[in-house]
Amino acid sequence: MLALLGGVIHAGPRGTFPAPALDAPPATASGQQTAVFAGGCFWGVQSVFERVKGVVATTAGYSGGSAATATYDQVSSEKTGHAESVKVVFDPSRITYGQLLRVFFSVVHDPTELNRQGPDVGTSYRSVIFYATDEQKRIASAYIAQLDALKIFPKKIVTEVAPLKAFYAAEAYHQDYALKNPDNPYIEVCDRPKIDALKQQYPDLFFDYKGSH
C-alpha cells in the first residue's frame, strides 16, 4: 500500500453487470457461512464487503501461506505465498454467495490484472477466490466462465479459484482501516470510489457501515 498512486488505469466492465447464472438458492433460515476473497489491498476489499447487507462480519487477513509468515511485514516481502484477503461472514438467507461474487468482480477490484491491483504490485495483491466448499468452487468457476464468455471485461479474467486451507487475521490496525482513516490519500484515491460504486450500482445491497456490525 506504499506504492505511488498516479497513473492507474483499470480495465472496467462493459455495460450492465450480469448476475451469476449458477447460484445457491437463498437459505430458508438465518445462519452464517464464510467466504474469503483476495483482490488487492485488503483495506479496499473490506471497505466494500462490510457495507453489503447480509454480511455479518469481515476480517482483513492473509491466505495462501503458512501461519509462521502471516504478518504484514513478511507478506509484504512477496516471499510468503500469501494474498491479502478478507474473510466475509454472511447470512445466506439475506444474501447469496453468487451475489457476493457479483460485487467482488464488478466493484471490489479488476479481475484482469495479474499479480497486482492498481498501484500495488506483487503476488500478495493477486486476485483469488478461496472456496470453503465444493459448492462455492462450482459457483465461482461457472461465474468466471460466464463473464469471460460474455466478454464483460476487455481482457480475460485471471482470478484464481483455490481451496481455503487457512485464514490468518491481520494486525489490529488493518481492521476497518478505510473507515478509520478516510483522509488517507490512498483511501481517497483507491478505496472511496469502490464504496461509491457499490452504493450507485447496488443501492438495494448498500449498508452505511459505521463500525462493528
Side-chain angles (χ1 to χ4, degrees), residues 4-207:
L4 295 176
L5 300 180
V8 181
I9 300 175
H10 296 288
R14 294 169 171 167
T16 302
F17 210 89
L22 176 66
D23 195 1
T28 56
S30 295
Q32 291 188 1
Q33 293 183 12
T34 298
V36 176
F37 301 104
C41 173
F42 46 26
W43 297 344
V45 179
Q46 183 179 41
S47 70
V48 173
F49 279 120
E50 65 191 3
R51 289 171 169 81
V52 174
K53 292 179 181 178
V55 170
V56 177
T58 63
T59 306
Y62 314 104
S63 289
S66 70
T69 56
T71 67
Y72 185 66
D73 287 343
Q74 292 179 94
V75 171
S76 297
S77 73
E78 303 298 338
K79 297 177 181 178
T80 69
H82 291 95
E84 290 195 9
S85 308
V86 172
K87 180 172 70 173
V88 178
V89 180
F90 64 101
D91 182 344
S93 71
R94 299 178 60 202
I95 190 166
T96 66
Y97 183 67
Q99 287 175 300
L100 294 176
L101 288 174
R102 191 183 189 191
V103 170
F104 177 67
F105 282 108
S106 62
V107 173
V108 168
H109 79 314
D110 179 354
T112 70
E113 290 194 318
L114 181 63
N115 294 334
R116 67 172 296 159
Q117 200 60 216
D120 299 311
V121 181
T123 56
S124 66
Y125 300 108
R126 66 191 186 273
S127 174
V128 192
I129 297 166
F130 291 102
Y131 62 86
T133 65
D134 287 340
E135 181 181 53
Q136 288 186 357
K137 179 183 180 181
R138 287 194 301 272
I139 294 171
S141 298
Y143 196 34
I144 291 171
Q146 176 187 345
L147 296 177
D148 273 337
L150 293 173
K151 300 187 185 302
I152 297 300
F153 295 93
K155 295 188 295 181
K156 188 176 178 64
I157 291 172
V158 297
T159 304
E160 301 173 30
V161 179
L164 176 63
K165 296 180 180 179
F167 175 86
Y168 308 102
E171 296 81 353
Y173 72 92
H174 287 300
Q175 309 302 331
D176 281 352
Y177 188 91
L179 179 72
K180 296 172 182 176
N181 300 273
D183 297 327
N184 180 307
Y186 182 98
I187 300 302
E188 290 182 335
V189 172
C190 297
D191 297 341
R192 186 70 229 181
K194 298 177 184 181
I195 298 170
D196 293 341
L198 175 69
K199 185 175 183 178
Q200 179 182 14
Q201 296 180 38
Y202 302 101
D204 293 342
L205 290 180
F206 183 80
F207 166 71

